[in-house]
Amino acid sequence: CDVVTLPTRRERNDVLLSVLWAIRDLSEIEVTYQSMRRPSATRRWIVPHSLAFDGARWHVRAWCHESNMFRDFVLTRIQEIHTRRVSEVDATKDSEWHTYAVVEIEPRPDLTVGQRDSVITDFGMQNGTLCKTIRRALVQYFVRHLQIDGPGNAGQPIVWANREEFKDLVDPDRLY
């Protein structure tokens, strides 16, 4: 028996504690953050309200003053926390965090009957479908891990049956 171990990301305790205190105290923090969209780190104010684990890394769900929207920030990409202040941001306004989506997964239609039956068993599907209820803010991570979020998923034996309903949730511009 053996297990494939994947590389893990190590969160810094000082960053994690500062984020947790900001969540607890309903405060905002000024951070230096390295986005993969920008060549260098930037300083910005964020208002963290939740943590989420996507299966590989921890994210801080927060209001970003720079983009004027709720976003996910990878915890290990927060390089420094500079200061904090009281926040006026209402985290209950993060509708994607507070609402849920039902993602439907089915066997690929081009599979043989035997292959379809095997996939149904593998994934524990009921009536040929697996329905997973997920926060709308986390759908992109779920489908990315299953590799069913793009046109290049031909190697997967499953498809995202109701993808059209949630195309706004897997827009690459949402990833930060």
Side-chain angles (χ1 to χ4, degrees), residues 19-170:
V19 168
L20 289 172
W21 291 333
I23 292 170
R24 179 196 64 195
D25 298 339
L26 304 174
S27 59
E28 43 195 67
I29 51 180
E30 185 182 25
V31 300
T32 298
Y33 185 77
Q34 179 61 64
S35 166
M36 290 297 107
R37 291 177 159 188
R38 297 181 180 178
S40 58
T42 58
R43 269 175 91 143
R44 65 186 66 228
W45 284 94
I46 64 171
V47 186
H49 69 75
S50 300
L51 294 175
F53 185 68
D54 71 5
R57 58 193 181 176
W58 283 96
H59 297 258
V60 177
R61 184 72 178 175
W63 175 262
C64 175
H65 283 288
E66 181 178 296
S67 61
N68 284 324
M69 63 188 302
F70 288 101
R71 303 191 84 129
D72 298 335
F73 295 86
V74 178
L75 192 58
T76 55
R77 293 185 190 155
I78 297 176
Q79 297 176 343
E80 190 174 347
I81 297 180
H82 303 283
T83 188
R84 58 188 268 167
R85 64 187 181 200
V86 176
S87 178
E88 301 291 322
V89 174
D90 182 359
T92 64
K93 303 286 188 216
D94 187 354
S95 62
E96 288 187 1
W97 181 261
H98 295 289
T99 59
Y100 291 82
V102 177
V103 175
E104 297 175 11
I105 298 166
E106 298 175 342
R108 260 193 7 236
D110 63 329
L111 299 177
T112 66
V113 171
Q115 290 170 327
R116 287 178 60 80
D117 288 345
S118 181
V119 170
I120 288 168
T121 300
D122 284 349
F123 286 88
M125 296 179 180
Q126 301 295 317
N127 300 316
T129 303
L130 176 65
C131 296
K132 295 295 284 183
T133 302
I134 304 163
R135 289 182 191 272
R136 287 179 57 86
L138 302 179
V139 166
Q140 64 184 331
Y141 306 116
F142 177 77
V143 298
R144 187 185 316 148
H145 278 292
L146 289 178
Q147 299 177 349
I148 58 173
D149 59 336
N153 66 336
Q156 278 294 71
I158 54 175
V159 294
W160 186 4
N162 62 341
R163 183 183 203 285
E164 232 5 75
E165 288 179 50
F166 305 110
K167 62 184 174 187
D168 63 315
L169 298 180
V170 291

